[in-house]
Amino acid sequence: MASRRFTLPDIQDLSKDQERARLLPREGCHLIVGGPGTGKSIVALLRTRHHHRPKGAQEYVLLAYNQLLLKASRELVGHEVNAHPWISWFKGMYRRALGQPCPVSAGKAYALDWKAILATIATAPTDLPLPLTPFVIIDEGQDMPPQFYQALMQIGFEHCFVVADQNQRINEENSSIHEIEIELGIDPGARIELTENYRNCDRIARLALSLYIEDPASPPPELPLQRHCTRDPLLIDYGPGCAWDFAGLIRSILKAVDRNPARLHGIITPDNDTRRRWLQALRQQPVELDQDRPRILTYASGEEDGDHRFGEGGIFVINAQSAKGLEFDTVFLADIDGYHCARESRDQQREDLKRLFYVMISRAREQVVLLRRAGRPCPARAILPLDDPSLLTPWR
């Protein structure tokens, strides 16, 4: 299986702002803000490496929104990291501190009842046990609600290192940068902003920035003018009246992967039905290849493969919510006509779609391809720069 470069940068390769973030005091609460590809997660992982002890119990914990991001994080630091999904960690910590199960809403294990949680903490004895992991490092901190930070402070966590980007909030529960600052008592002037884009080549970065929502709390990444894309961002229609049908498109993707076995390809889908459809086709579609069939993996709650190595080539088929914080050499956004927003306001719908596509497109390092089923309504059409071929080239 072909390997690819997937390592933390050396200390001497950090930017001045990344180095400032790395050298922040161990104690106290700190906030690092930056757009996709600016190295927020790298800074958080360097922080964990600084805290990590070779043996014995750890005094820190790294928290992230989902398991797939945590697996990538463990691989980057050599699997030696005390890392957990934030909800499961919070429930276990709450049970230890309060001596009772963490309240949930309507019996749903991952729907925390924040009103009940905060009320219980407020009436708890003042001599709660000290946190086992007093240093908390939080990746993609915008994905946790304000009540989460409020609860941490009330339970006695005094040292929180948070990296976040307000413009990457694509979940129902989330926090603004201002809310994180308020709950953790961080002076807005003390946060560190990362602006240099180390991930995307120039045209991918420009396409992503065409969807950026102006927001002074989370500055956009700077354009990587010295890293030129060798392939244009594409919007490909497939199906009736198009050059490709679904089977032909799958064969073409598999052949492209076969030509570059060390590249990691992400196929991001709008829902589980679409994910399963693409996964089955990629695994079963007959095709002649020069190499063995590539590694084809998926991730979703209850449906995942065990071999989630990001240092090897192949294909990951995942939903949009699982793509947060990840990066791939090539990204295919499958069936973009399948993204719909249930918000009442048309402006809110457009804003939600912009944030979502901003996040998904910025996962790609070298190439991004949007795929659309012909003849279907496509709400995403309203937010894409279809009239500017310098940003997105149509291909039917």
Side-chain angles (χ1 to χ4, degrees), residues 307-350:
D307 183 24
H308 290 126
R309 285 175 292 167
F310 288 80
E312 304 287 349
I315 303 174
F316 274 73
V317 188
I318 57 177
N319 286 339
Q321 298 292 342
S322 298
K324 294 291 291 294
L326 304 179
E327 67 177 40
F328 302 92
D329 299 306
T330 297
V331 166
F332 295 93
L333 303 188
D335 297 351
I336 64 169
D337 50 278
Y339 290 97
H340 303 276
C341 291
R343 301 287 287 271
E344 295 180 4
S345 161
R346 187 177 296 274
D347 288 341
Q348 289 177 325
Q349 292 175 14
R350 287 172 59 90

Side-chain angles (χ1 to χ4, degrees), residues 237-238 240 242 372-377 396:
D237 289 325
Y238 73 93
C242 302
R372 181 174 61 182
R373 291 172 291 186
R376 294 175 180 252
R396 187 178 178 86

Side-chain angles (χ1 to χ4, degrees), residues 25 43 122 137 190 212 261 288:
V43 169
I137 302 164
Y212 173 79
E288 292 185 8

Side-chain angles (χ1 to χ4, degrees), residues 76-130:
L76 273 172
V77 293
H79 301 278
E80 293 182 354
V81 58
N82 183 32
H84 299 276
W86 76 273
I87 290 182
S88 60
W89 174 85
F90 183 87
K91 291 172 69 176
M93 179 276 299
Y94 180 96
R95 177 185 284 273
R96 175 184 178 273
L98 279 300
Q100 57 182 283
C102 185
V104 296
S105 300
K108 298 178 180 178
Y110 292 100
L112 303 188
D113 185 343
W114 289 110
K115 184 177 181 180
I117 289 169
L118 294 176
T120 303
I121 295 173
T123 58
T126 57
D127 58 343
L128 292 177
L130 293 175

Side-chain angles (χ1 to χ4, degrees), residues 11 14 17-24 43 46-47 161:
I11 299 300
L14 298 179
D17 289 332
Q18 289 173 334
E19 182 68 358
R20 283 177 58 214
R22 187 183 73 87
L23 294 177
L24 284 167
V43 169
L46 291 173
R47 190 79 170 187
F161 185 94

Side-chain angles (χ1 to χ4, degrees), residues 124-140:
T126 57
D127 58 343
L128 292 177
L130 293 175
L132 292 176
T133 52
F135 295 93
V136 181
I137 302 164
I138 301 172
D139 196 3
E140 302 289 346

Side-chain angles (χ1 to χ4, degrees), residues 127-183:
D127 58 343
L128 292 177
L130 293 175
L132 292 176
T133 52
F135 295 93
V136 181
I137 302 164
I138 301 172
D139 196 3
E140 302 289 346
Q142 74 281 347
D143 290 336
M144 294 74 170
Q147 298 92 329
F148 166 71
Y149 295 103
Q150 185 179 347
L152 289 185
M153 293 294 100
Q154 292 181 359
I155 289 174
F157 288 88
E158 299 178 346
H159 314 296
C160 293
F161 185 94
V162 183
V163 301
D165 178 13
Q166 186 163 305
N167 211 46
Q168 294 190 67
R169 296 178 297 169
I170 62 174
N171 308 304
E172 291 184 4
E173 287 193 316
N174 52 61
S175 292
S176 68
I177 297 300
H178 180 66
E179 287 170 330
I180 296 173
E181 289 170 339
I182 290 295
E183 299 300 344

